[in-house]
Amino acid sequence: MRRRDLIAVSAALPVLAAGSEALAGDRPAPGGASISMPGVGLPIIAGGRLRNYVFVSLRMHLGGAATPESMRPREAFLRDALVRAAHRTPFTVADDWTVIDTAALSASLMRSAAAIAGRGAVTRVEIVSQAPRRRTGVNAR
């Protein structure tokens, strides 16, 4: 193998490894299939003013005949429905502008998923991580 070919192959390996890790989030979980939705920016609105953004990564556990392959085309619609719901009725915790109300977010996404993908397509929504844009000076107290 020529040196140039060896360098080209070694440069491509990290890209291939990153691609396989990205798909690993969409593989079936031990209890069933799931699909990940990373990096959704949701507003924190208090007193009629935008106070902060929290970036949420979540995993939707699938049920029924839903598969990750059948849900990927619907992911953009689910993301849009979640952002619209967050602007309409914010998932704000009363005394902390750095976290999202996970129960309200899960309930909203479950309702949207039933309308978009069909009843029973999403059985559970798991909040994997939350990262606020601003971490200090944002409490409502």
Side-chain angles (χ1 to χ4, degrees):
M1 185 178 259
R2 294 186 320 195
R3 182 176 176 179
R4 186 178 341 183
D5 295 334
L6 185 60
I7 291 171
V9 168
S10 64
L13 285 178
V15 173
L16 295 173
S20 66
E21 289 172 6
L23 293 176
D26 294 341
R27 288 193 185 131
S34 66
I35 187 167
S36 297
M37 190 183 300
V40 181
L42 301 175
I44 301 293
I45 301 171
R49 295 181 56 203
L50 177 66
R51 304 294 183 165
N52 198 8
Y53 279 97
V54 176
F55 296 90
V56 178
S57 295
L58 51 97
R59 181 174 297 124
M60 294 178 290
H61 296 270
L62 308 178
T67 63
E69 293 79 21
S70 69
M71 290 297 288
R72 267 191 214 100
R74 294 180 174 102
E75 180 183 352
F77 296 106
L78 291 168
R79 183 181 296 264
D80 180 63
L82 182 60
V83 171
R84 286 176 188 262
H87 280 85
R88 201 172 31 251
T89 55
F91 308 125
T92 306
V93 175
D95 61 343
D96 192 357
W97 296 345
T98 60
V99 294
I100 293 286
D101 182 3
T102 58
L105 184 144
S106 295
S108 175
L109 191 56
M110 291 289 292
R111 284 190 302 271
S112 298
I116 292 169
R119 178 169 244 162
V122 176
T123 58
R124 184 169 62 99
V125 176
E126 175 186 356
I127 310 304
V128 177
S129 68
Q130 297 185 33
R133 179 173 173 231
R134 286 194 275 153
R135 299 180 199 291
T136 61
V138 294
N139 287 344
R141 296 179 205 184

Coordinates of all heavy atoms in Angstrom, one line a residue, residues 65-122:
A65 N -46.1 -0.7 15.6 CA -45.4 -1.1 14.3 C -44.3 0.0 14.0 O -43.7 -0.1 12.9 CB -46.3 -1.3 13.2
A66 N -44.1 1.0 14.8 CA -43.1 2.0 14.5 C -41.7 1.5 14.6 O -41.4 0.8 15.6 CB -43.3 3.2 15.5
T67 N -40.9 1.9 13.7 CA -39.5 1.5 13.7 C -38.7 2.8 13.5 O -39.3 3.9 13.1 CB -39.2 0.6 12.5 OG1 -39.4 1.3 11.2 CG2 -40.0 -0.7 12.5
P68 N -37.4 2.8 13.9 CA -36.6 4.0 13.7 C -36.6 4.5 12.2 O -36.7 5.7 11.9 CB -35.2 3.6 14.1 CG -35.4 2.5 15.1 CD -36.7 1.8 14.6
E69 N -36.7 3.6 11.3 CA -36.7 3.9 9.8 C -38.0 4.6 9.4 O -38.0 5.5 8.6 CB -36.5 2.7 9.0 CG -35.1 2.0 9.1 CD -34.9 1.2 10.3 OE1 -35.9 0.7 10.9 OE2 -33.8 1.0 10.7
S70 N -39.1 4.2 10.0 CA -40.4 4.8 9.7 C -40.6 6.1 10.4 O -41.3 7.0 10.0 CB -41.5 3.8 10.0 OG -41.6 3.7 11.4
M71 N -39.8 6.3 11.5 CA -40.0 7.6 12.3 C -39.1 8.7 11.9 O -39.3 9.9 12.1 CB -39.8 7.3 13.8 CG -40.9 6.5 14.4 SD -42.5 7.3 14.4 CE -42.3 8.6 15.6
R72 N -37.9 8.4 11.2 CA -37.0 9.4 10.8 C -37.6 10.5 10.0 O -37.3 11.7 10.2 CB -35.8 8.8 10.2 CG -34.7 8.5 11.2 CD -33.3 8.1 10.6 NE -32.7 7.2 11.5 CZ -32.7 5.9 11.3 NH1 -33.2 5.3 10.3 NH2 -32.1 5.1 12.2
P73 N -38.4 10.1 9.0 CA -39.0 11.2 8.2 C -40.0 12.1 9.0 O -40.2 13.2 8.6 CB -39.8 10.4 7.1 CG -39.2 9.1 7.0 CD -38.7 8.8 8.4
R74 N -40.5 11.6 10.1 CA -41.4 12.4 10.9 C -40.7 13.2 12.0 O -41.4 14.0 12.6 CB -42.4 11.4 11.5 CG -43.3 10.8 10.5 CD -44.3 9.8 11.2 NE -45.3 9.3 10.3 CZ -45.2 8.1 9.8 NH1 -44.2 7.3 10.1 NH2 -46.1 7.7 8.9
E75 N -39.4 13.0 12.1 CA -38.7 13.7 13.2 C -38.7 15.2 13.1 O -38.9 15.9 14.0 CB -37.2 13.2 13.2 CG -36.4 13.9 14.3 CD -35.0 13.5 14.3 OE1 -34.6 12.6 13.6 OE2 -34.2 14.1 15.1
A76 N -38.6 15.7 11.9 CA -38.7 17.1 11.7 C -40.1 17.7 12.1 O -40.1 18.8 12.7 CB -38.4 17.5 10.2
F77 N -41.1 17.0 11.8 CA -42.5 17.4 12.2 C -42.6 17.4 13.7 O -43.3 18.2 14.3 CB -43.5 16.5 11.5 CG -43.5 16.7 10.0 CD1 -43.0 15.6 9.2 CD2 -44.0 17.8 9.4 CE1 -43.0 15.7 7.9 CE2 -44.0 17.9 8.0 CZ -43.5 16.9 7.2
L78 N -42.1 16.3 14.3 CA -42.1 16.2 15.8 C -41.3 17.4 16.4 O -41.8 18.0 17.4 CB -41.6 14.9 16.3 CG -42.5 13.7 15.9 CD1 -41.8 12.4 16.1 CD2 -43.8 13.7 16.7
R79 N -40.1 17.7 15.9 CA -39.3 18.8 16.4 C -40.1 20.1 16.3 O -40.1 20.9 17.2 CB -38.0 18.8 15.6 CG -37.0 19.8 16.1 CD -35.8 19.8 15.3 NE -35.0 18.5 15.4 CZ -34.0 18.3 16.2 NH1 -33.6 19.3 16.9 NH2 -33.4 17.1 16.2
D80 N -40.7 20.3 15.1 CA -41.4 21.5 14.9 C -42.6 21.7 15.9 O -42.8 22.7 16.5 CB -41.9 21.6 13.5 CG -42.7 22.8 13.2 OD1 -42.2 23.9 13.2 OD2 -43.9 22.7 12.8
A81 N -43.3 20.6 16.1 CA -44.5 20.6 17.0 C -44.0 20.9 18.4 O -44.7 21.6 19.2 CB -45.2 19.3 17.0
L82 N -42.8 20.3 18.8 CA -42.3 20.6 20.2 C -41.9 22.0 20.3 O -42.2 22.7 21.4 CB -41.1 19.7 20.4 CG -40.5 19.7 21.8 CD1 -41.5 19.4 22.9 CD2 -39.3 18.8 21.8
V83 N -41.2 22.6 19.4 CA -40.8 24.0 19.5 C -42.0 25.0 19.5 O -42.1 25.9 20.2 CB -39.8 24.4 18.3 CG1 -39.5 25.9 18.3 CG2 -38.5 23.6 18.5
R84 N -43.0 24.7 18.6 CA -44.2 25.5 18.6 C -45.0 25.4 20.0 O -45.4 26.4 20.5 CB -45.2 25.0 17.5 CG -44.7 25.5 16.1 CD -45.6 24.9 15.1 NE -45.1 25.1 13.8 CZ -45.5 26.1 13.0 NH1 -46.4 27.0 13.4 NH2 -45.0 26.3 11.8
A85 N -45.0 24.2 20.5 CA -45.7 24.0 21.8 C -44.9 24.8 22.9 O -45.5 25.4 23.8 CB -45.8 22.6 22.2
A86 N -43.6 24.8 22.9 CA -42.8 25.5 23.9 C -43.0 27.0 23.8 O -42.9 27.6 24.8 CB -41.3 25.1 23.7
H87 N -43.3 27.5 22.6 CA -43.5 28.9 22.5 C -44.9 29.3 22.9 O -45.2 30.4 23.5 CB -43.2 29.4 21.1 CG -41.8 29.6 20.8 ND1 -41.0 28.6 20.4 CD2 -41.0 30.7 20.9 CE1 -39.8 29.1 20.2 NE2 -39.8 30.4 20.5
R88 N -45.9 28.4 22.7 CA -47.3 28.6 23.0 C -47.5 28.6 24.5 O -48.1 29.4 25.1 CB -48.1 27.6 22.3 CG -49.6 28.0 22.1 CD -50.3 27.0 21.2 NE -49.9 25.6 21.2 CZ -49.3 25.0 20.2 NH1 -49.0 25.7 19.1 NH2 -48.9 23.7 20.3
T89 N -47.1 27.5 25.1 CA -47.2 27.3 26.6 C -45.8 26.8 27.1 O -45.6 25.6 27.0 CB -48.3 26.2 26.9 OG1 -48.0 25.0 26.2 CG2 -49.6 26.7 26.6
P90 N -44.9 27.7 27.5 CA -43.6 27.3 27.8 C -43.5 26.2 28.9 O -44.3 26.2 29.8 CB -42.9 28.6 28.3 CG -43.8 29.7 27.8 CD -45.2 29.1 27.7
F91 N -42.5 25.4 28.8 CA -42.2 24.3 29.8 C -41.3 24.9 30.9 O -40.3 24.3 31.2 CB -41.6 23.1 29.1 CG -42.3 22.6 27.9 CD1 -41.6 22.5 26.7 CD2 -43.6 22.3 27.9 CE1 -42.3 22.1 25.5 CE2 -44.3 21.8 26.8 CZ -43.6 21.7 25.6
T92 N -41.7 25.9 31.5 CA -40.9 26.7 32.5 C -41.2 26.1 33.9 O -42.3 25.9 34.3 CB -41.3 28.2 32.4 OG1 -41.1 28.6 31.1 CG2 -40.4 29.0 33.3
V93 N -40.1 26.0 34.6 CA -40.2 25.7 36.0 C -40.2 27.0 36.8 O -39.5 27.9 36.5 CB -38.9 24.8 36.5 CG1 -38.9 24.6 38.0 CG2 -38.9 23.5 35.8
A94 N -41.2 27.1 37.7 CA -41.5 28.4 38.3 C -40.3 29.2 38.9 O -40.1 30.4 38.7 CB -42.5 28.3 39.4
D95 N -39.4 28.5 39.6 CA -38.3 29.2 40.3 C -36.9 29.0 39.7 O -35.9 29.4 40.3 CB -38.3 28.8 41.8 CG -38.1 27.3 42.0 OD1 -38.2 26.6 41.0 OD2 -37.8 26.9 43.1
D96 N -36.8 28.4 38.5 CA -35.5 28.1 37.9 C -35.6 28.2 36.4 O -36.3 27.5 35.8 CB -35.1 26.7 38.3 CG -33.6 26.4 38.0 OD1 -33.0 27.3 37.4 OD2 -33.1 25.3 38.3
W97 N -34.9 29.2 35.9 CA -34.9 29.4 34.4 C -33.8 28.6 33.7 O -33.5 28.9 32.5 CB -34.7 30.9 34.1 CG -35.8 31.7 34.6 CD1 -37.0 31.3 35.1 CD2 -35.8 33.1 34.8 NE1 -37.8 32.4 35.5 CE2 -37.1 33.5 35.3 CE3 -34.8 34.1 34.6 CZ2 -37.4 34.8 35.6 CZ3 -35.2 35.4 34.9 CH2 -36.4 35.8 35.4
T98 N -33.2 27.6 34.3 CA -32.1 26.8 33.7 C -32.6 25.4 33.4 O -31.7 24.7 32.9 CB -30.9 26.8 34.6 OG1 -31.2 26.2 35.8 CG2 -30.3 28.2 34.8
V99 N -33.8 25.0 33.7 CA -34.3 23.7 33.4 C -35.7 23.7 32.8 O -36.4 24.7 33.0 CB -34.3 22.8 34.7 CG1 -32.9 22.6 35.2 CG2 -35.2 23.4 35.8
I100 N -36.0 22.7 32.2 CA -37.3 22.5 31.5 C -38.2 21.6 32.4 O -37.6 20.6 33.0 CB -37.1 21.9 30.1 CG1 -36.4 22.8 29.2 CG2 -38.4 21.4 29.5 CD1 -37.3 24.0 28.7
D101 N -39.5 21.8 32.4 CA -40.4 20.9 33.1 C -40.5 19.7 32.3 O -41.2 19.6 31.2 CB -41.7 21.6 33.3 CG -42.8 20.8 34.0 OD1 -42.4 19.6 34.5 OD2 -43.9 21.2 34.2
T102 N -39.9 18.6 32.7 CA -39.8 17.4 31.9 C -41.1 16.7 31.7 O -41.4 16.1 30.7 CB -38.8 16.4 32.5 OG1 -39.1 16.1 33.8 CG2 -37.4 17.0 32.5
A103 N -42.0 16.7 32.7 CA -43.3 16.1 32.6 C -44.2 16.8 31.6 O -44.8 16.1 30.8 CB -44.0 16.1 34.0
A104 N -44.1 18.1 31.6 CA -44.9 18.9 30.6 C -44.4 18.7 29.2 O -45.2 18.5 28.2 CB -44.9 20.4 31.0
L105 N -43.1 18.6 29.0 CA -42.5 18.4 27.7 C -42.8 17.0 27.2 O -43.2 16.8 26.1 CB -40.9 18.5 27.8 CG -40.2 18.4 26.5 CD1 -39.0 19.3 26.5 CD2 -39.7 17.0 26.3
S106 N -42.7 16.0 28.1 CA -43.1 14.6 27.7 C -44.5 14.5 27.2 O -44.8 13.9 26.2 CB -42.8 13.6 28.8 OG -41.4 13.6 29.1
A107 N -45.4 15.1 28.0 CA -46.8 15.0 27.7 C -47.2 15.7 26.4 O -47.9 15.2 25.6 CB -47.7 15.6 28.9
S108 N -46.5 16.8 26.2 CA -46.8 17.6 24.9 C -46.3 16.8 23.7 O -47.0 16.7 22.7 CB -46.1 18.9 25.0 OG -46.2 19.6 23.8
L109 N -45.1 16.2 23.8 CA -44.5 15.5 22.7 C -45.3 14.2 22.5 O -45.5 13.8 21.3 CB -43.0 15.2 22.9 CG -42.3 14.6 21.7 CD1 -42.4 15.5 20.5 CD2 -40.8 14.4 22.1
M110 N -45.8 13.6 23.5 CA -46.6 12.4 23.3 C -47.9 12.7 22.6 O -48.3 12.0 21.7 CB -47.0 11.7 24.7 CG -45.8 11.1 25.4 SD -45.2 9.6 24.7 CE -46.6 8.5 25.0
R111 N -48.6 13.8 22.9 CA -49.8 14.3 22.2 C -49.4 14.6 20.7 O -50.2 14.1 19.8 CB -50.4 15.5 22.8 CG -51.1 15.2 24.1 CD -51.9 16.4 24.6 NE -51.1 17.6 24.8 CZ -50.4 17.9 25.9 NH1 -50.6 17.1 27.0 NH2 -49.7 19.0 26.0
S112 N -48.3 15.2 20.5 CA -48.0 15.6 19.1 C -47.6 14.3 18.3 O -48.0 14.2 17.1 CB -46.7 16.5 19.1 OG -47.1 17.7 19.7
A113 N -46.9 13.4 18.9 CA -46.5 12.1 18.3 C -47.8 11.3 17.9 O -47.8 10.7 16.8 CB -45.6 11.3 19.1
A114 N -48.8 11.3 18.7 CA -50.0 10.6 18.4 C -50.7 11.2 17.2 O -51.2 10.4 16.3 CB -51.0 10.6 19.6
A115 N -50.6 12.5 17.0 CA -51.3 13.1 15.9 C -50.4 13.0 14.6 O -51.0 12.8 13.5 CB -51.5 14.6 16.2
I116 N -49.1 13.0 14.8 CA -48.2 13.0 13.6 C -47.9 11.6 13.1 O -48.0 11.3 11.9 CB -46.9 13.7 13.9 CG1 -47.2 15.2 14.1 CG2 -45.9 13.5 12.8 CD1 -46.1 16.0 14.7
A117 N -47.6 10.7 14.1 CA -47.1 9.3 13.7 C -48.2 8.3 14.0 O -48.0 7.1 13.6 CB -45.9 9.0 14.5
G118 N -49.3 8.6 14.6 CA -50.3 7.6 15.0 C -50.2 7.2 16.4 O -49.2 7.3 17.1
R119 N -51.4 6.8 16.9 CA -51.5 6.5 18.3 C -50.7 5.2 18.6 O -50.7 4.3 17.9 CB -53.0 6.2 18.6 CG -53.2 5.7 20.0 CD -54.6 5.7 20.4 NE -54.7 6.7 21.5 CZ -55.8 7.3 21.8 NH1 -56.9 7.0 21.2 NH2 -55.8 8.2 22.8
G120 N -49.9 5.3 19.7 CA -49.1 4.2 20.1 C -47.7 4.1 19.4 O -46.9 3.2 19.7
A121 N -47.4 5.0 18.5 CA -46.1 5.0 17.8 C -45.0 5.3 18.8 O -43.9 4.8 18.7 CB -46.1 5.9 16.6
V122 N -45.2 6.3 19.7 CA -44.3 6.7 20.7 C -44.9 6.3 22.1 O -46.0 6.8 22.4 CB -44.0 8.2 20.7 CG1 -43.0 8.6 21.8 CG2 -43.3 8.5 19.3

